[in-house]
Amino acid sequence: MALKIVKGSIDRMFDKNLQDLVRGIRNHKEDEAKYISTCIDEIKQELKQDNIAVKANAVCKLTYLQMLGYDVSWAAFNIVEVMSSSKFTYKRIGYLAASQCFHEGTDVIMLTTNQIRKDLSSPHQYDTGVALTGLSCFVTPDLARDLANDIMTLMSHTKPYIRKKAVLIMYKVFLKYPESLRPAFPRLKEKLEDPDPGVQSAAVNVICELARRNPKNYLSLAPLFFKLMTSSTNNWVLIKIIKLFGALTPLEPRLGKKLIEPLTNLIHSTSAMSLLYECVNTVIAVLISLSSGMPNHSASIQLCVQKLRILIEDSDQNLKYLGLLAMSKILKTHPKSVQSHKDLILQCLDDKDESIRLRALDLLYGMVSKKNLMEIVKKLMLHVDKAEGTTYRDELLTKIIDICSQSNYQYITNFEWYISILVELTRLEGTRHGHLIASQMLDVAIRVKAIRGFAVAQMATLLDNAHLLTGNTQRNGICEVLYAAAWICGEFSEHLEDPMQTLEAMLRPKVATLPGHIQAVYVQNAAKLFATVLRKHEGETDSHAAQETSQLLIDRLPLFVQSANLEVQERASCILQLVKYIQKLQQKKVEVAEEVTALFAGELNPVAPKAQKKVPVPEGLDLDAWINKPPSESESEDEKPKAVFAKEEPKHSRSRHTEVDEKELARRREARKREQANNPFYIKASPSSQKVYDAPGVEHIPVVQIDLSVPLKVPGMPMSDQYLKLEEERRQKEKAERKKEKKKKREKRGKERKADSGPESEEDIAPAHQVDIVTEEMPENALPSDDDDKDPNDPHKALDIDLDKPLADSEKLPVRTHRPEVLKSPAEDRVNESIPQETKKRSGKEKKEKKKGKEKDRKRSKEEKKKKKHKEVEEELLESHPEEAVQSEETKEAATPPTSTSAEIKPTVHWFPVQKSSKHKKKKQKKEKEEKEKKKKKRHHHHHHHSNAGGEDSVQNGTVEEEEPLPPMSNYFLLAENSYIKMVYDIQGNHQDESKVVVSVIFENKSDSFLKSMEFNVLDSLNSKLQRPEGAGAHDSLTVPFQLPPGISNEAHFVFSVQSIVMPQKLKGTLTFIVKSDESSTHEKLDFKLHFTCTSYLITTPCYLYDAYAKLLESGDLKGSSLRLEGINMPFHHLLARICFHHHFSVVERIDSCASMYSRSIQGHHVCLLVKTSDQTVSIDAKCDEPSLLGNVLDEIKQTFSKC
Amino acid sequence: MIKAILIFNNHGKPRLSKFYEHYTEDTEQQIIRETFHLVSKRDENICNFLEGGLLIGGSDNKLIYRHYATLYFVFCVDSSESELGILDLIQVLVETLDKCFENVCELDLIFHVDKVHNILAEMVMGGMVLETNMSEIITQVEAQGKMEKSEAGITGAPARAVSAVKNMNLPEMPKNINIGDISIKVPNLPSFK
């Protein structure tokens, strides 16, 4: 043996370690992948060896390979093995590997529960620390549920090192297992005042994370945080708290008022920029929340802006960036104070750092007003020209459009200017945002009626010069604009100066190189233009022009008929035939213009993007109901619904046509013309489109002169600038006019001082022309709800829990079932104490104030109690941890499916006899346990070896490799029930005491009245006796330690001593209670029979070793018996799980449809089962050293299965 | 919350990756590559924050990085972290590494990535800042180092001897150190504490 060890360690010396691996990889630069794959093969060999050191080394190497991108999940089981090593060195390697590659989908994670629990309660703080760190990375909902209580205990550990880690990890636990938040919260809150700054900081950290997502639940902590803020000197903590306040203030304005002063003090005093910055941020948040009513409001804003300006002017780019970031927050509520720093922000646009430029752009977005929009956009346009790199240029482009179009074009006073900006933007090469420009053009042209004439002229120019844009068709970009241009020209063709020319431009052969969807629009709109041209020439004596147009179309359209794009083809051939027909009519001198125009009559109205969604479902319409009975399968399914829609559709289209009211249209047109004519700045239509540029009043502006030697008008010449100047002039003029008016007014009515004073404000700027933005159509009685922005998958949603409500009974953390006295935790105490509190609350609100005082007292005393208890708990932890090792993970999983959450034992009842003697006994037991533990540890190791040798099968016994989820199971059986109360119960054996069982009874109040003074009594038999407090008589009843408000249930525990456990027993008992309703109270009584089955004397005891099990069977001490069950048609693993769960067995080994199981009675009888199944028949061969016990257990098993 | 911590060199070779949310190995590599791509093309004298929201999680996220000699230290964090605070944390991390490795250089990180992980674990846990006090971090790291040594005890001795021999047998070892033997300079930053 010794030789083997030596040999092992010598072998090990020549294994590659991590450094060798790294070195090797660096030496094999050319064939790295190949080298690594040989290394992985080596690692696989090493993992097969027994030596844990070799395994750890291999796992360590795997962690490195994982970083390089290799999947190492195949070694998950080996990682678990290394994690469970007793040596810290290896354990740490294992946990590191696990933290790097385990996740919720890793199946072996469920094997780790007990190992982690053991490590958490290890006496060495670093074992615990390493386990906590690892767990924080791979905690799953199951782990969180199973370990929440253990971690909560660690929050009160003596070592701050453990405490802070336990506190931090609670956040992860909450995320995965939200039910734990309420029970754990009181202790978490306590940790805010921990003497150790690290723990305190961790608690602040966790609460800040929680509060960030659901701030309203944490408002009550504000005073505590306020105290911390004024007392703490740790900048980390301060930053977190200040950030938290930023999240809280919007909910509670009073808090904000209180905060301003200390925060401004901090701003003045601190030298740490990080803290200063966060303070400014929070002050901003406060000021945002206090929209009004602060006297020194503007002073604080000024201070913030001032400090931010210092940050922005700093040479440190980081500060500059953050300054801009914070500035943008102020902007939202106090735009004016930021606008005064426009110079600084525009300056930032020139910064070499893109992040800073983007931030500055964001700021500009909010800084625009009617007054400065043109100026700002002009600056941006300059940057567009200068910008290198398409990404930034594209960003600028979108920002310009964003800025202009924000809040429904609120800041645009002159849409001609905007259209020209858009046209200018089309000159950008290689932009990706052609469609954005296009949609803006369409939007403006459709919604701003007054602009259509201008827009159409511009678009016609664009179409005419399409070749300039199509230069870079490949880059899917700018040619999108032509889509808009064609549509606008077609739709609003009545505004066109020369429709013929535009028509010609749209039918040029080069158009065929454009993308299909654009061609389709071209074709369709060519037809619209055609209609316009016809109309224009109607009535002329010489129909030559009209016929020429038809001929043009007939000549050019065949090009599109041949298009590969279906839509283009279809439209083109339709229109071609139409035109041919029209041509025929024309030759017969028939007037067709009216009919052709009618094809495109009617106006399109913009529809709001959400309109469809907002259509309310009419009353009485059930969308899920069948319109027709579901068709039989032979019928074709899509025929009938089709018919339904076919009927409706024509209606829609017709209604649009009938809407057309020619008079109305004419009237509108007239109004527009009048309005345009009255507007001196509107560029009036003149017969030649060239003259657009020399509109009256513009001559003196240095417009880029059109070189007439160049026959083409260059689209989008920098003419937007002219608007800027125009605008300024216009404003000057208006101002002057207004002044005049004012003067007049003042002269007239000098006494009356009306409110129009002060400098030119936003609202004073009248738009250059009446802008009638057509609002987007919404369905009638649209639903106002706008709740489509919350992400339903956000894990934090589950943590939106009211933390101030007292804990209800159902909210305890799950605790393992078989060690009642160890698991005493203060939080659970509170669970019970809180119940009477709750009832009192219900009884009267007016007493609330008084009660608060009382509660405070109670809290104080509670805290004292708690402190004592902490110590106890810790002592107990130290004593008890070996016990943990015994519990096998597999069996536990099987024995406590989710329903067991409510089945834990609460050791709070003060008359609990076990507790009184527990201290004494424990010391005795401790020694025994330690011996046991030693043995078991040995066995444990053996087990590992065994499992490696035998492949993975033996490890995956029990329910680990569950194929199907188990149905929920409960061990609680009905005890008795009447119209007031329902009692269910469960009996559990107790490892420590061979003559005691604990009966857990859940009392549920079914009535509407209060139940109180519940007394529980049982007629003892010779064999089984209810444990009563010392001094009580043998027939005295026990008081149930709580009252039940209506609809509430709670659990109490009663300890019974038993002598012989070989026979089942029934005990008669009575529950008496007082039913208290508003008027009366009555005394009620409920009889019951407690059934002590033999199963309840069995305790789930894992048996790791098949060898030991086999030996036990061979020893001959056991008597056999057997049982056959017919007609069982449940999966085998369900069957096993049922036996495990209801009868407290554990699986020793499972091979196919055969499993051996083991359990032990509280008095140490071994019970072994061999379960086989074939075709719905289950045979159970059983052995036990007590035949009558065995017989009864088998009977009970039979009963369990006869029920299902 | 810190979503991820990445350390890679000037060529984008990962030296440490710690993700506090689960991604597949492929995604992780992609994130490292893209982060490197984003960070490496930035000049020295521009701000250390990047909106890298596309990589991990939502638009709430930021990349905060520092560049020391041959290494980039990148933290991906969400809006609950203070930007300047994280910059200081990176500084603390580097200074701690410097103390633990005695003049840390890229090679230390290459060959002792496990150690770096252990140091990091004392600072950040599950994406939340655990400890920022350097001396406390070093105390804990050293105490664990001691424990490791005592466990290795006699059985560890031969292994150490062999590794020494191994290094002796490999005279080309210094040749391997073709990159990164410049030690990471740790400038003193006044901003925190």
Side-chain angles (χ1 to χ4, degrees):
Chain A
M1 190 68 184
L3 192 69
K4 204 180 165 189
I5 290 173
V6 171
K7 193 169 165 271
S9 68
I10 288 175
D11 280 347
R12 184 154 44 105
M13 287 176 207
F14 297 101
D15 284 340
K16 265 192 207 117
N17 61 13
L18 175 61
Q19 281 74 39
D20 299 328
L21 175 75
V22 175
R23 203 173 290 134
I25 292 174
R26 288 160 68 80
N27 283 336
H28 291 79
K29 285 228 164 76
E30 337 52 64
D31 53 348
E32 192 181 291
K34 199 178 147 204
Y35 178 75
I36 289 179
S37 80
T38 58
C39 286
I40 289 180
D41 288 341
E42 277 171 24
I43 289 170
K44 282 183 177 162
Q45 287 305 317
E46 286 167 26
L47 287 175
K48 279 184 191 153
Q49 291 186 40
D50 285 347
N51 191 328
I52 194 73
V54 177
K55 273 187 195 172
N57 183 39
V59 165
C60 184
K61 288 189 277 182
L62 282 178
T63 312
Y64 182 78
L65 293 179
Q66 195 270 345
M67 181 181 79
L68 298 184
Y70 290 84
D71 177 26
V72 299
S73 55
W74 50 270
F77 183 73
N78 303 104
I79 293 173
V80 174
E81 282 181 306
V82 176
M83 275 162 76
S84 58
S85 158
S86 56
K87 275 196 180 176
F88 171 73
T89 317
Y90 305 144
K91 190 183 286 298
R92 182 157 76 167
I93 291 172
Y95 272 104
L96 174 62
S99 74
Q100 291 294 88
C101 69
F102 281 11
H103 53 95
E104 281 193 19
T106 309
D107 44 3
V108 292
I109 263 192
M110 59 172 91
L111 294 174
T112 59
T113 317
N114 266 26
Q115 179 57 43
I116 296 172
R117 178 174 285 143
K118 189 179 144 196
D119 289 334
L120 290 183
S121 52
S122 158
H124 304 293
Q125 62 164 338
Y126 291 117
D127 284 353
T128 314
V130 143
L132 284 171
T133 308
L135 187 62
S136 72
C137 290
F138 58 79
V139 61
T140 63
D142 284 342
L143 283 177
R145 189 193 61 227
D146 294 340
L147 298 173
N149 206 57
D150 303 66
I151 298 171
M152 215 163 95
T153 323
L154 289 180
M155 280 166 77
S156 318
H157 199 273
T158 46
K159 298 243 173 60
Y161 178 75
I162 299 301
R163 282 209 302 273
K164 70 182 176 192
K165 287 196 168 194
V167 167
L168 266 196
I169 203 178
M170 277 319 275
Y171 177 66
K172 295 275 171 164
V173 173
F174 296 151
L175 275 187
K176 299 288 175 185
Y177 179 55
E179 289 87 339
S180 60
L181 177 57
R182 296 215 332 120
F185 193 71
R187 197 176 294 188
L188 184 60
K189 207 167 131 186
E190 234 171 77
K191 294 295 142 202
L192 285 176
E193 292 172 298
D194 195 280
D196 184 85
V199 182
Q200 201 182 40
S201 148
V204 169
N205 221 330
V206 170
I207 293 186
C208 287
E209 278 299 328
L210 290 169
R212 196 163 71 95
R213 311 298 181 135
N214 301 298
K216 66 175 187 308
N217 301 333
Y218 298 86
L219 269 178
S220 59
L221 291 182
L224 191 57
F225 277 118
F226 194 81
K227 205 179 99 196
L228 274 178
M229 184 178 80
T230 43
S231 62
S232 175
T233 50
N234 180 341
N235 280 351
W236 268 99
V237 171
L238 280 175
I239 287 177
K240 283 279 172 193
I241 293 175
I242 287 166
K243 265 185 169 280
L244 174 66
F245 276 132
L248 292 181
T249 41
L251 303 166
E252 179 56 271
R254 281 175 302 173
L255 178 64
K257 277 180 196 162
K258 240 185 135 185
L259 278 174
I260 290 273
E261 203 202 315
L263 283 180
T264 29
N265 287 346
L266 266 177
I267 290 177
H268 283 301
S269 66
T270 184
S271 61
M273 276 302 185
S274 42
L275 185 57
L276 171 85
Y277 172 68
E278 296 305 336
C279 286
V280 169
N281 249 336
T282 299
V283 170
I284 294 168
V286 168
L287 292 176
I288 290 172
S289 71
L290 303 169
S291 42
S292 60
M294 269 290 283
N296 52 354
H297 193 119
S298 57
S300 316
I301 276 286
Q302 231 37 61
L303 176 68
C304 287
V305 175
Q306 206 184 348
K307 286 282 173 187
L308 288 180
R309 189 173 174 115
I310 293 172
L311 287 186
I312 295 172
E313 282 172 336
D314 199 289
S315 61
D316 185 344
Q317 297 284 321
N318 293 328
L319 298 182
K320 190 175 275 208
Y321 174 86
L322 294 175
L324 289 171
L325 199 65
M327 210 54 132
S328 66
K329 287 178 193 158
I330 302 189
L331 188 69
K332 279 173 202 141
T333 48
H334 303 273
K336 282 198 188 124
S337 24
V338 181
Q339 269 160 16
S340 54
H341 299 280
K342 199 173 70 192
D343 56 318
L344 189 64
I345 288 151
L346 284 172
Q347 208 178 307
C348 289
L349 279 182
D350 295 322
D351 202 285
K352 57 185 184 296
D353 185 347
E354 198 174 296
S355 312
I356 287 180
R357 288 198 304 251
L358 292 179
R359 280 282 142 231
L361 272 182
D362 274 351
L363 265 177
L364 281 181
Y365 176 82
M367 279 173 65
V368 290
S369 62
K370 282 183 181 168
K371 223 199 300 186
N372 61 16
L373 175 72
M374 286 184 169
E375 188 192 342
I376 287 179
V377 171
K378 185 187 165 195
K379 289 247 168 69
L380 290 180
M381 292 298 282
L382 283 178
H383 279 283
V384 171
D385 289 338
K386 278 194 290 180
E388 321 144 2
T390 47
T391 29
Y392 179 58
R393 206 163 45 185
D394 279 355
E395 186 64 35
L396 272 170
L397 189 153
T398 43
K399 263 287 146 14
I400 290 176
I401 290 182
D402 278 356
I403 287 176
C404 293
S405 63
Q406 64 178 310
S407 38
N408 216 3
Y409 305 104
Q410 187 191 345
Y411 299 116
I412 295 185
T413 49
N414 188 334
F415 277 93
E416 286 181 21
W417 165 81
Y418 186 45
I419 292 277
S420 30
I421 286 285
L422 288 175
V423 172
E424 270 174 50
L425 286 176
T426 61
R427 286 181 311 169
L428 279 189
E429 259 175 61
T431 177
R432 288 179 294 115
H433 293 297
H435 61 276
L436 192 65
I437 303 177
S439 69
Q440 281 291 301
M441 285 174 168
L442 285 172
D443 198 42
V444 171
I446 293 170
R447 293 174 60 191
V448 187
K449 287 187 179 160
I451 202 68
R452 282 179 192 164
F454 181 78
V456 165
Q458 291 290 306
M459 295 303 126
T461 328
L462 265 185
L463 284 179
D464 219 16
N465 298 292
H467 60 280
L468 294 179
L469 299 177
T470 51
N472 50 0
T473 346
Q474 305 319 322
R475 295 209 212 146
N476 77 354
I478 209 69
C479 60
E480 285 291 328
V481 172
L482 294 176
Y483 176 96
W487 190 86
I488 292 171
C489 285
E491 186 65 21
F492 306 117
S493 51
E494 69 267 20
H495 300 287
L496 267 181
E497 299 302 331
D498 187 358
M500 189 60 196
Q501 189 193 346
T502 311
L503 183 61
E504 197 273 330
M506 279 168 71
L507 291 171
R508 279 178 203 153
K510 242 197 145 187
V511 172
T513 58
L514 290 172
H517 65 285
I518 299 180
Q519 286 186 53
V521 168
Y522 264 68
V523 171
Q524 185 75 8
N525 286 287
K528 289 183 195 168
L529 281 178
F530 175 60
T532 317
V533 173
L534 281 188
R535 217 178 136 84
K536 217 175 178 179
H537 296 290
E538 194 81 27
E540 285 174 20
T541 44
D542 178 24
S543 62
H544 189 66
Q547 280 180 18
E548 222 172 55
T549 319
S550 314
Q551 195 51 50
L552 177 74
L553 278 169
I554 291 170
D555 289 346
R556 299 279 177 88
L557 277 177
L559 177 69
F560 296 101
V561 175
Q562 291 159 9
S563 168
N565 186 297
L566 276 185
E567 176 132 5
V568 180
Q569 202 185 83
E570 198 176 0
R571 287 184 190 218
S573 54
C574 271
I575 289 166
L576 183 61
Q577 290 315 311
L578 182 74
V579 175
K580 277 183 182 162
Y581 180 66
I582 290 168
Q583 197 180 30
K584 264 187 215 161
L585 291 177
Q586 277 174 335
Q587 282 157 1
K588 288 181 198 161
K589 306 268 177 197
V590 181
E591 297 211 335
V592 288
E594 204 62 42
E595 280 86 346
V596 178
T597 320
L599 282 176
F600 305 108
E603 205 166 338
L604 295 173
N605 284 336
V607 175
K610 281 182 182 169
Q612 180 70 45
K613 221 162 80 184
K614 301 260 164 156
V615 179
V617 179
E619 233 173 279
L621 175 64
D622 180 6
L623 288 175
D624 296 326
W626 289 104
I627 296 173
N628 297 305
K629 283 263 164 80
S632 62
E633 272 163 39
S634 57
E635 258 178 307
S636 89
E637 282 187 25
D638 44 3
E639 250 179 330
K640 284 195 174 168
K642 232 185 203 170
V644 170
F645 287 116
K647 262 184 203 167
E648 281 173 7
E649 249 170 338
K651 240 191 211 168
H652 277 296
S653 45
R654 210 172 298 146
S655 69
R656 187 174 272 162
H657 280 289
T658 51
E659 249 175 47
V660 186
D661 183 347
E662 277 299 323
K663 270 187 192 169
E664 168 67 13
L665 273 179
R667 199 183 54 73
R668 280 190 213 159
R669 217 171 287 137
E670 269 308 304
R672 188 161 56 243
K673 271 184 193 153
R674 226 179 304 130
E675 183 261 317
Q676 285 170 3
N678 292 339
N679 186 341
F681 302 102
Y682 192 88
I683 298 171
K684 287 185 192 68
S686 46
S688 121
S689 61
Q690 199 125 358
K691 278 187 182 169
V692 168
Y693 298 109
D694 354 36
V698 198
E699 294 95 330
H700 60 283
I701 296 167
V703 182
V704 175
Q705 285 303 309
I706 300 157
D707 188 353
L708 288 175
S709 65
V710 180
L712 285 168
K713 290 154 283 175
V714 178
M717 270 177 307
M719 55 179 222
S720 59
D721 288 357
Q722 72 198 32
Y723 288 102
L724 185 59
K725 289 187 180 147
L726 277 175
E727 184 72 16
E728 271 161 20
E729 269 171 38
R730 189 177 68 88
R731 275 180 206 163
Q732 287 288 326
K733 230 187 205 171
E734 270 180 18
K735 235 185 192 173
E737 270 173 28
R738 217 178 297 135
K739 266 185 192 166
K740 265 186 213 163
E741 266 178 47
K742 268 185 208 165
K743 263 187 189 170
K744 273 183 201 165
K745 273 183 191 170
R746 246 175 241 160
E747 279 161 19
K748 274 186 181 175
R749 22 181 168 160
K751 282 175 193 172
E752 275 182 66
R753 266 188 224 160
K754 281 228 164 179
D756 60 359
S757 59
E760 185 185 30
S761 71
E762 279 279 292
E763 289 67 31
D764 293 337
I765 302 169
H769 42 234
Q770 201 52 47
V771 179
D772 53 339
I773 293 179
V774 182
T775 45
E776 293 162 324
E777 280 193 344
M778 280 291 238
E780 285 168 46
N781 52 21
L783 304 168
S785 65
D786 239 326
D787 49 7
D788 25 34
D789 16 297
K790 270 214 171 177
D791 178 13
N793 294 327
D794 187 1
H796 296 278
K797 239 185 158 183
L799 287 181
D800 189 358
I801 296 168
D802 184 1
L803 294 162
D804 299 329
K805 225 168 50 184
L807 283 173
D809 188 50
S810 53
E811 292 186 285
K812 295 153 293 182
L813 287 180
V815 176
R816 279 169 311 141
T817 45
H818 63 290
R819 279 187 60 81
E821 63 285 27
V822 179
L823 299 161
K824 188 167 176 180
S825 75
E828 276 166 15
D829 266 7
R830 205 167 287 187
V831 170
N832 288 312
E833 280 171 48
S834 67
I835 281 155
Q837 274 180 30
E838 192 180 56
T839 57
K840 269 182 199 168
K841 254 186 199 166
R842 286 180 184 218
S843 66
K845 275 181 188 169
E846 67 281 1
K847 284 186 185 171
K848 240 184 185 172
E849 291 305 316
K850 277 186 194 170
K851 230 177 273 165
K852 266 189 186 166
K854 275 186 201 166
E855 270 173 18
K856 264 183 197 166
D857 290 350
R858 201 179 302 154
K859 264 183 201 163
R860 228 171 274 150
S861 61
K862 234 190 270 172
E863 267 164 17
E864 282 168 16
K865 263 192 225 164
K866 234 180 280 160
K867 273 176 196 164
K868 276 184 203 163
K869 268 172 211 156
H870 286 331
K871 274 186 190 164
E872 276 178 33
V873 169
E874 275 151 17
E875 282 168 18
E876 280 166 356
L877 253 177
L878 290 178
E879 286 172 12
S880 66
H881 81 274
E883 184 60 32
E884 325 268 18
V886 182
Q887 253 252 337
S888 132
E889 207 272 311
E890 293 99 310
T891 51
K892 210 238 154 185
E893 290 282 317
T896 55
T899 43
S900 67
T901 314
S902 59
E904 71 287 294
I905 290 176
K906 260 188 307 131
T908 49
V909 189
H910 58 279
W911 35 265
F912 209 80
V914 178
Q915 271 178 303
K916 290 194 174 165
S917 52
S918 65
K919 278 265 155 178
H920 269 310
K921 274 182 191 161
K922 224 172 269 161
K923 284 196 178 155
K924 255 196 243 163
Q925 283 168 5
K926 199 176 151 191
K927 278 183 187 171
E928 288 172 18
K929 254 187 266 161
E930 269 167 4
E931 276 168 32
K932 260 193 231 165
E933 158 72 1
K934 271 179 198 163
K935 277 184 200 166
K936 266 169 193 152
K937 263 195 178 170
K938 270 187 198 165
R939 281 200 225 157
H940 202 74
H941 275 280
H942 276 292
H943 174 59
H944 275 301
H945 290 232
H946 172 71
S947 66
N948 291 331
E952 301 201 346
D953 270 6
S954 54
V955 184
Q956 293 180 332
N957 62 5
T959 53
V960 173
E961 28 106 54
E962 219 68 302
E963 299 93 340
E964 281 171 52
L966 280 167
M969 289 188 281
S970 166
N971 254 345
Y972 280 76
F973 292 105
L974 184 67
L975 183 58
E977 184 175 18
N978 63 13
S979 55
Y980 299 107
I981 197 164
K982 180 180 175 184
M983 297 192 281
V984 292
Y985 77 111
D986 175 39
I987 305 175
Q988 295 276 345
N990 185 333
H991 255 305
Q992 277 75 49
D993 198 320
E994 57 178 33
S995 63
K996 288 203 172 68
V997 289
V998 179
V999 178
S1000 322
V1001 185
I1002 299 178
F1003 299 89
E1004 186 191 347
N1005 186 348
K1006 289 166 60 189
S1007 67
D1008 305 327
S1009 327
F1010 223 88
L1011 302 186
K1012 51 187 242 180
S1013 311
M1014 289 188 278
E1015 303 216 330
F1016 183 90
N1017 203 357
V1018 174
L1019 274 178
D1020 293 349
S1021 71
L1022 277 176
N1023 193 34
S1024 312
K1025 291 188 172 67
L1026 174 61
Q1027 296 268 308
R1028 296 177 167 87
E1030 273 171 55
H1035 303 293
D1036 289 353
S1037 52
L1038 289 178
T1039 311
V1040 180
F1042 46 77
Q1043 300 178 323
L1044 283 181
I1048 299 292
S1049 56
N1050 203 349
E1051 187 173 13
H1053 306 279
F1054 304 95
V1055 180
F1056 285 80
S1057 62
V1058 287
Q1059 287 183 341
S1060 160
I1061 59 161
V1062 298
M1063 296 289 280
Q1065 285 244 354
K1066 281 186 182 169
L1067 291 188
K1068 273 189 182 174
T1070 321
L1071 180 81
T1072 57
F1073 52 93
I1074 293 172
V1075 181
K1076 193 164 186 234
S1077 56
D1078 289 341
E1079 306 88 39
S1080 62
S1081 60
T1082 52
H1083 218 91
E1084 296 288 340
K1085 187 179 113 167
L1086 179 62
D1087 291 330
F1088 57 83
K1089 262 186 197 170
L1090 262 178
H1091 191 177
F1092 289 86
T1093 57
C1094 282
T1095 291
S1096 53
Y1097 303 129
L1098 295 183
I1099 299 167
T1100 313
T1101 317
C1103 181
Y1104 284 121
L1105 294 174
Y1106 189 74
D1107 295 349
Y1109 183 74
K1111 244 179 221 166
L1112 182 68
L1113 286 177
E1114 284 162 11
S1115 66
D1117 300 339
L1118 307 183
K1119 318 272 182 309
S1121 175
S1122 65
L1123 174 71
R1124 271 177 85 80
L1125 299 167
E1126 303 281 349
I1128 304 286
N1129 53 354
M1130 64 174 79
F1132 190 54
H1133 67 273
H1134 282 192
L1135 177 100
L1136 293 184
R1138 270 175 195 276
I1139 297 178
C1140 288
F1141 182 69
H1142 290 297
H1143 299 283
H1144 310 166
F1145 276 87
S1146 61
V1147 178
V1148 180
E1149 189 178 37
R1150 176 184 161 187
I1151 298 159
D1152 298 331
S1153 58
C1154 180
S1156 41
M1157 308 180 87
Y1158 175 77
S1159 184
R1160 211 162 62 103
S1161 77
I1162 53 172
Q1163 296 181 353
H1165 306 290
H1166 302 283
V1167 188
C1168 305
L1169 300 183
L1170 180 65
V1171 187
K1172 290 181 201 159
T1173 180
S1174 61
D1175 302 337
Q1176 310 205 342
T1177 308
V1178 178
S1179 67
I1180 300 177
D1181 291 310
K1183 283 192 169 180
C1184 177
D1185 40 11
E1186 181 53 65
S1188 53
L1189 175 69
L1190 181 62
N1192 289 320
V1193 169
L1194 286 183
D1195 284 347
E1196 283 160 17
I1197 291 178
K1198 195 174 175 182
Q1199 242 172 19
T1200 308
F1201 287 101
S1202 64
K1203 273 184 221 156
C1204 47
Chain B
M1 286 279 279
I2 298 170
K3 302 292 168 98
I5 297 174
L6 306 174
I7 304 179
F8 42 73
N9 72 1
N10 287 346
H11 306 279
K13 287 245 181 221
R15 294 305 175 212
L16 175 131
S17 68
K18 181 88 211 169
F19 289 86
Y20 293 103
E21 282 169 0
H22 174 69
Y23 297 97
T24 62
E25 274 76 13
D26 288 343
T27 327
E28 286 184 2
Q29 292 304 308
Q30 200 188 338
I31 292 172
I32 294 173
R33 271 197 304 275
E34 283 177 23
T35 313
F36 169 69
H37 187 71
L38 280 175
V39 168
S40 62
K41 68 178 184 203
R42 292 173 66 85
D43 288 338
E44 278 301 306
N45 293 321
I46 61 178
C47 80
N48 295 342
F49 315 118
L50 254 169
E51 268 122 297
L54 295 175
L55 295 180
I56 305 174
S59 54
D60 199 25
N61 289 348
K62 267 201 191 91
L63 295 176
I64 298 175
Y65 73 96
R66 270 187 189 277
H67 189 197
Y68 294 95
T70 57
L71 291 174
Y72 285 97
F73 290 72
V74 186
F75 279 46
C76 178
V77 302
D78 68 15
S79 65
S80 74
E81 298 296 340
S82 147
E83 291 88 346
L84 295 172
I86 293 292
L87 276 182
D88 288 329
L89 187 71
I90 299 178
Q91 181 72 13
V92 172
L93 171 64
V94 174
E95 282 182 35
T96 313
L97 290 175
D98 199 49
K99 287 253 166 63
C100 291
F101 286 109
E102 288 163 17
N103 275 331
V104 67
C105 69
E106 192 185 340
L107 279 177
D108 293 317
L109 271 74
I110 295 173
F111 285 104
H112 302 283
V113 70
D114 48 342
K115 231 175 168 182
V116 182
H117 267 295
N118 296 335
I119 293 167
L120 190 62
E122 295 303 323
M123 300 178 63
V124 180
M125 189 176 130
M128 282 184 289
V129 179
L130 178 69
E131 185 58 70
T132 51
N133 181 342
M134 205 191 337
S135 61
E136 169 73 13
I137 298 167
I138 291 172
T139 317
Q140 302 296 354
V141 169
E142 279 174 355
Q144 291 177 51
K146 255 182 214 157
M147 225 173 127
E148 205 169 27
K149 260 184 202 152
S150 75
E151 276 185 355
I154 305 162
T155 46
R160 280 200 295 277
V162 165
S163 105
V165 170
K166 269 184 196 163
N167 287 348
M168 258 164 47
N169 290 345
L170 297 169
E172 76 273 22
M173 179 168 170
K175 232 174 19 185
N176 295 344
I177 312 171
N178 41 18
I179 39 164
D181 36 359
I182 320 147
S183 79
I184 299 170
K185 281 170 289 166
V186 183
N188 284 323
L189 287 172
S191 60
F192 216 73
K193 273 188 187 165

